[in-house]
Amino acid sequence: MSQKLLGAARLFASHYQIVICDDPRKIGSDFANWKDDKGNRGFAGSPTFRSVGTEADLNDHWVELVLSDEPPDLEEWQRVTCVDFRSDSGAVSVMSVIDDVPPISATIGQGEYTAFVAAQNVGVDQLSLAEEHELSDAELAARKDLEWYRIFLVAGKPQTVGRIVDRTDAAD
């Protein structure tokens, strides 16, 4: 599998949401609409502004964005949410719903993509581990025992969307 790291950063997932968008200045009209089946499938929004749900109460996550020629190995991830994403501008940003400046932005080319939002240690944060010290970005990046994400962007539309892997019950 060929992957290109487009960016990595600490992200405060306000309202338990990670945003993947084409243009951070254009907030999706229904990004906050998590009614009906949207909560069950793990995401909301429009193809150019996707909001994907997170779990850990502190909402402090390490997020990596990669351009990949293949989907992730589903056996390696605790949860994978698959969404259709369209870039009209040729760019992608990963951010919180409250960010003014996205912590991750990259040029990917215009077109249709499948975003596989892969997560490990869903629901685990410093609060759940009774830790009180603040982590630096480098320390958070190294903490693979906390909830963290890798977003795989693959060219083309997905065959299915929603949570395609969810092993969170097995972790309890």
Side-chain angles (χ1 to χ4, degrees):
M1 173 187 322
S2 173
Q3 295 181 16
K4 177 183 176 186
L5 181 65
L6 300 176
R10 166 183 247 137
L11 189 133
F12 178 73
S14 179
H15 304 299
Y16 298 90
Q17 298 174 66
I18 295 174
V19 170
I20 305 164
C21 64
D22 169 62
D23 184 345
R25 298 167 297 177
K26 296 180 182 176
I27 295 176
S29 62
D30 64 344
F31 77 90
N33 183 7
W34 284 85
K35 296 178 183 168
D36 304 324
D37 68 332
K38 291 180 183 175
N40 292 334
R41 69 183 187 175
F43 73 97
S46 67
T48 58
F49 193 97
R50 288 295 185 204
S51 178
V52 179
T54 66
E55 297 284 333
D57 288 330
L58 288 180
N59 293 305
D60 193 19
H61 307 295
W62 189 253
V63 179
E64 301 169 351
L65 177 65
V66 297
L67 190 60
S68 180
D69 60 356
E70 294 180 24
D73 180 346
L74 300 181
E75 294 301 315
E76 294 180 5
W77 296 93
Q78 185 181 11
R79 177 181 285 166
V80 179
T81 304
C82 181
V83 302
D84 56 317
F85 172 71
R86 186 179 72 241
S87 179
D88 293 335
S89 69
V92 61
S93 292
V94 178
M95 58 193 269
S96 168
V97 296
I98 62 170
D99 282 334
D100 291 327
V101 177
I104 302 172
S105 290
T107 301
I108 57 171
Q110 292 178 321
E112 302 284 344
Y113 292 86
T114 300
F116 295 92
V117 182
Q120 292 288 42
N121 301 309
V122 174
V124 180
D125 59 15
Q126 286 187 276
L127 182 64
S128 68
L129 298 176
E131 296 178 7
E132 296 183 13
H133 62 284
E134 186 171 335
L135 297 173
S136 69
D137 287 356
E139 290 170 324
L140 182 61
R143 291 287 303 268
K144 299 304 183 192
D145 62 327
L146 301 174
E147 184 173 316
W148 69 281
Y149 292 84
R150 181 173 295 144
I151 302 168
F152 296 79
L153 282 181
V154 179
K157 286 187 172 189
Q159 293 180 356
T160 186
V161 296
R163 286 197 179 133
I164 57 175
V165 171
D166 194 353
R167 296 182 185 91
T168 55
D169 291 337
D172 293 340

